[in-house]
Amino acid sequence: MKKLILGIVLISSLIQAQDIKGKWSGLLNVQGMELQLVFHITQNDTIHNVTLDSPDQKAYGIKASSTYFKDSILSIEIELLNAKFKGKYSANNIKGTFYQAAQSFPLNLSREVIKRKKLFRPQDPLKPYSYHSENVQFQGGEKNVELAGTLTLPNKEGKFPVVILISGSGPQNRDEEFMTHKPFLVISDFLTRKGMAVLRYDDRGFANSTGNHDKATTADFANDVRAAISYLKTRSEIDKKQIGLIGHSEGGLIAPMVASDTDIAFLVLLAAPGVPGNQIITKQVEMITRSQGMDERSIQREISISKGLCKIFKQYEKDESFEIRFSKYLNNEMAKMNFIPEGMSKEHYIKMQIEQFKKPWFRYFLNYDPANALKKIKCPLLALNGEKDVQVAPENLLIIENFVRQNGNNDVTIKEFFNMNHLFQICKTGAMEEYATIEQTISPLVLNKISNWIKSKLDE
């Protein structure tokens, strides 16, 4: 559910004869997608200052923690990203490896800008649109949060039903852009052409929205959705009795939270969890490792470690001994399997895992049980999943349906789409590595199902 996020600046104090000052560019291949990275290296006396840009993720001027350059070897520590680059300098090239978490990626840097192959995304709509599209800003769920987004209307004049699109986990822009796909742009275009208004916006603290994304939890994002509803009620073009929500992945957790205490006309949940976060994480570990072709013994080992870490978190998250217990457990497990992380020390790897479990969003996600909100849903609900989804298993559909029906709400429709992944692309394995390689952004079968179902509910 989380995407790779890059950024940082490097400061070091080493003297070398070779001149590495300047701008260095490279392409990082991550799960089939090429991310451009740009290192800016300057020198002040004996101190090298390095900043890293990740233009594709709109991250610029990020500082690193340390730099080492000697005998043609360049090493850059990027502590805030839990990452490291190490390469060998030669004239106008640095051939090396980028390390993040327990993964390594070849990364060669050049003084010349390296051109990346253009990926074809045939479903992206082209301007001019046949409908009205307007950039908007509105107050978010907190005073310091100003959300920026796009409101599309079938016509500039009139009164229309509206859909709010709610993105998945991690900082997302209004198009939910991921691996050069823009699913929310495609959904918005499709529904607006079908006669519905659509509001999509940048997550707080990302792109053109203000606020602090790192300190926010799922509950905070739910407040932003409530703020979006309040904003839409001020618009004369919106039918205030026909406001619906479409949530993808974590957005499928957020939408029921809002609908449980707010008057909503309908809900569409795309690949939404129906069980607590700790269960989602463990199942995700199993599905992803299987999709990567890992042997059964290794898969069970990964599942066991995931359960063990979640158990320690559950028992000791508020205890002073949490970090010690967590570190001891992970250290023992790594020793058992003789696991040595690439590109970083074992101590740093363990520290990185601890920091992940300390983040407000992650703590909230692990503890949150969607059952409570789902049992309070009174409006019509459509839940969809891909049969090959390795991030949120399709078995969540029946769980969601059961919870909603417990409240006496029988207006529930669920559907599992054969050979589709977490993004609702027609796929072969469902593995995350496939996402960028597939031209299709979202299957027309899914788009039509969403549109036809919403129209049927609005006509009732």
Side-chain angles (χ1 to χ4, degrees):
M1 290 164 67
K2 289 287 186 188
K3 33 183 182 183
L4 186 69
I5 297 189
L6 304 168
I8 253 185
V9 172
L10 324 159
I11 300 177
S12 180
S13 53
L14 286 165
I15 304 175
Q16 66 283 326
Q18 296 159 314
D19 185 8
I20 59 168
K21 297 193 303 295
K23 179 180 177 181
W24 296 88
S25 300
L27 294 176
L28 189 70
N29 193 307
V30 182
Q31 298 174 342
M33 178 181 66
E34 291 180 322
L35 287 175
Q36 184 184 28
L37 297 185
V38 181
F39 291 87
H40 301 274
I41 304 178
T42 59
Q43 185 174 356
N44 181 13
D45 293 329
T46 61
I47 306 296
H48 276 87
N49 300 289
V50 186
T51 62
L52 173 64
D53 297 342
S54 177
D56 297 315
Q57 297 177 307
K58 297 180 176 61
Y60 300 93
I62 317 162
K63 297 182 179 179
S65 47
S66 65
T67 306
Y68 178 88
F69 183 53
K70 185 177 182 181
D71 297 330
S72 299
I73 300 300
L74 173 65
S75 180
I76 299 171
E77 293 280 352
I78 311 173
E79 188 172 343
L80 293 181
L81 296 179
N82 298 308
K84 176 181 179 180
F85 172 76
K86 186 175 182 179
K88 185 173 183 179
Y89 169 84
S90 175
N92 292 320
N93 296 282
I94 302 175
K95 186 175 182 179
T97 303
F98 186 89
Y99 302 92
Q100 189 168 47
Q103 302 181 79
S104 61
F105 310 90
L107 178 61
N108 298 327
L109 304 178
S110 171
R111 291 191 185 275
E112 302 294 328
V113 176
I114 302 174
K115 292 184 178 180
R116 122 185 100 193
K117 60 184 178 182
K118 189 174 182 180
L119 298 174
F120 185 46
R121 300 295 180 236
Q123 288 177 286
D124 283 0
L126 300 176
K127 294 180 179 180
Y129 303 139
S130 61
Y131 48 82
H132 178 68
S133 180
E134 177 185 345
N135 288 331
V136 298
Q137 286 188 311
F138 55 94
Q139 176 69 51
E142 294 179 27
K143 290 182 179 179
N144 66 331
V145 176
E146 182 87 4
L147 299 175
T150 301
L151 176 64
T152 53
L153 302 162
N155 293 292
K156 196 168 183 179
E157 304 294 334
K159 192 176 287 288
F160 309 99
V162 67
V163 172
I164 300 173
L165 301 183
I166 312 169
S167 66
S169 62
Q172 306 266 350
N173 67 18
R174 67 195 69 186
D175 296 329
E176 203 190 33
E177 189 170 354
F178 185 47
M179 296 191 176
T180 75
H181 285 288
K182 300 176 181 179
F184 277 12
L185 174 62
V186 174
I187 293 173
S188 173
D189 177 78
F190 188 87
L191 294 182
T192 306
R193 292 176 188 275
K194 294 291 185 179
M196 290 170 247
V198 180
L199 175 65
R200 64 191 198 276
Y201 57 88
D202 304 327
D203 287 349
R204 65 161 67 188
F206 190 69
N208 293 322
S209 291
T210 65
N212 191 323
H213 191 280
D214 290 341
K215 293 184 178 180
T217 67
T218 305
D220 296 316
F221 299 131
N223 285 333
D224 288 341
V225 176
R226 294 184 181 97
I229 294 171
S230 297
Y231 165 71
L232 287 173
K233 289 181 177 180
T234 69
R235 300 285 305 227
S236 61
E237 309 95 328
I238 301 303
D239 185 337
K240 299 173 181 58
K241 294 183 179 180
Q242 294 188 328
I243 298 176
L245 307 176
I246 297 180
H248 176 231
S249 198
E250 186 196 6
L253 280 180
I254 296 169
M257 291 172 70
V258 176
S260 68
D261 59 20
T262 308
D263 189 18
I264 297 297
F266 58 86
L267 281 183
V268 179
L269 308 183
L270 306 176
V275 296
N278 62 330
Q279 294 180 41
I280 289 292
I281 293 295
T282 302
K283 184 66 176 179
Q284 196 177 85
V285 167
E286 177 186 353
M287 295 187 297
I288 290 176
T289 51
R290 287 193 191 284
S291 74
Q292 294 173 338
M294 195 176 285
D295 64 88
E296 189 61 30
R297 182 178 179 182
S298 298
I299 291 171
Q300 294 304 319
R301 180 194 68 209
E302 294 293 328
I303 293 172
S304 176
I305 292 174
S306 176
K307 288 182 176 179
L309 293 175
C310 288
K311 183 178 179 181
I312 292 173
F313 171 79
K314 192 74 174 177
Q315 290 180 323
Y316 303 103
E317 63 169 309
K318 297 180 180 179
D319 194 293
E320 292 182 358
S321 66
F322 167 71
E323 291 190 29
I324 296 174
R325 293 177 184 274
F326 194 101
S327 178
K328 183 178 180 180
Y329 172 79
L330 195 52
N331 192 57
N332 289 339
E333 292 300 316
M334 291 170 70
K336 285 180 187 177
M337 57 186 180
N338 195 29
F339 172 67
I340 301 174
E342 290 186 272
M344 66 181 69
S345 66
K346 184 169 65 173
E347 292 74 22
H348 183 67
Y349 177 81
I350 292 174
K351 179 183 177 182
M352 177 192 70
Q353 299 299 326
I354 292 174
E355 290 304 312
Q356 172 76 353
F357 274 78
K358 288 171 63 177
K359 290 181 179 178
W361 179 87
F362 199 66
R363 285 178 169 249
Y364 188 96
F365 176 74
L366 288 176
N367 283 321
Y368 181 71
D369 188 350
N372 296 326
L374 290 167
K375 291 176 183 178
K376 297 176 183 178
I377 301 301
K378 297 179 181 179
C379 66
L381 183 145
L382 172 67
L384 309 177
N385 236 101
E387 174 247 346
K388 284 186 165 60
D389 190 335
V390 299
Q391 292 183 256
V392 179
E395 63 198 44
N396 281 272
L397 289 174
L398 288 173
I399 296 170
I400 290 170
E401 180 183 30
N402 179 57
F403 285 141
V404 176
R405 290 187 184 276
Q406 283 184 28
N407 188 41
N409 182 357
N410 292 316
D411 197 346
V412 186
T413 304
I414 63 172
K415 184 172 178 59
E416 181 178 332
F417 285 90
F418 184 67
N419 275 347
M420 289 192 196
N421 59 23
H422 189 64
L423 301 184
F424 293 92
Q425 301 167 305
I426 295 175
C427 63
K428 292 181 180 179
T429 68
M432 296 174 68
E433 288 79 4
E434 284 184 324
Y435 295 172
T437 65
I438 300 172
E439 287 186 352
Q440 183 181 75
T441 294
I442 180 170
S443 169
L445 294 174
V446 176
L447 293 171
N448 279 306
K449 179 64 178 180
I450 294 170
S451 174
N452 292 337
W453 181 86
I454 292 175
K455 278 182 168 288
S456 72
K457 296 307 166 185
L458 296 176
D459 292 339
E460 288 182 355

